[in-house]
Amino acid sequence: TDCGVPSAFDEAPKCEHCTMCCNANDDCYPHEDTPVTEHLGLNYATFAAVFFASFIVFCCLVSFFFYLLGKLKNNENVLTMSAERRLEEDDKYALSRIGKDSVYSYFVTDKVPGWLAAFATLGIQIAILVFFIMASEANL
């Protein structure tokens, strides 16, 4: 049947029980679940959202762990002059790797408007990624 994309029809026919789907280009493929759907029961958009959320949670847990480790190591997080100097060197190193003209350089500043700009840019990029993921998953 013509249940593939691109279709010769305005809207591709829905075929729940077909074993083979062909499109307007005469390309045929078996009608089966993707590996993500088969093993996890998720479509690609949901899987990407769950994966990204899990990654954010993992990063937060690692950051919190290192924060606690540093607090225990530095006796109530009292910074010495050498520790302050190391922090300044770390900031300079981060800026040299990120690039001073990059919007992500605002993450290493102490200013909230800079963080907002960096997070807004990150949010827009994630929204664009989600748009492309959802557009790439054709309802076959």
Side-chain angles (χ1 to χ4, degrees):
T1 64
D2 187 19
C3 58
V5 177
S7 176
F9 305 104
D10 290 337
E11 188 172 322
K14 305 280 188 242
C15 184
E16 298 290 327
H17 304 291
C18 295
T19 57
M20 189 70 83
C21 283
C22 298
N23 63 19
N25 298 334
D26 290 330
D27 294 326
C28 297
Y29 55 90
H31 187 75
E32 56 190 24
D33 289 339
T34 62
V36 172
T37 304
E38 184 178 317
H39 296 296
L40 301 175
L42 303 171
N43 62 17
Y44 282 117
T46 306
F47 175 74
V50 168
F51 181 78
F52 186 71
S54 300
F55 179 74
I56 295 294
V57 168
F58 175 75
C59 288
C60 289
L61 288 174
V62 168
S63 297
F64 183 68
F65 171 74
F66 282 118
Y67 170 77
L68 290 178
L69 186 67
K71 194 165 180 120
L72 291 173
K73 190 175 179 182
N74 286 335
N75 255 357
E76 309 263 334
N77 205 16
V78 176
L79 295 175
T80 61
M81 286 304 283
S82 63
E84 285 179 10
R85 209 170 311 125
R86 276 187 300 200
L87 286 175
E88 288 176 13
E89 289 174 7
D90 288 345
D91 283 348
K92 287 179 184 176
Y93 176 76
L95 280 173
S96 72
R97 291 294 176 206
I98 294 172
K100 294 186 184 206
D101 295 332
S102 170
V103 71
Y104 296 111
S105 65
Y106 291 124
F107 278 124
V108 293
T109 67
D110 293 335
K111 297 180 174 97
V112 175
W115 292 347
L116 292 176
F119 278 118
T121 302
L122 188 64
I124 290 168
Q125 288 179 342
I126 290 169
I128 292 170
L129 174 66
V130 167
F131 174 76
F132 278 103
I133 288 173
M134 291 176 70
S136 69
E137 186 175 301
N139 295 326
L140 305 174

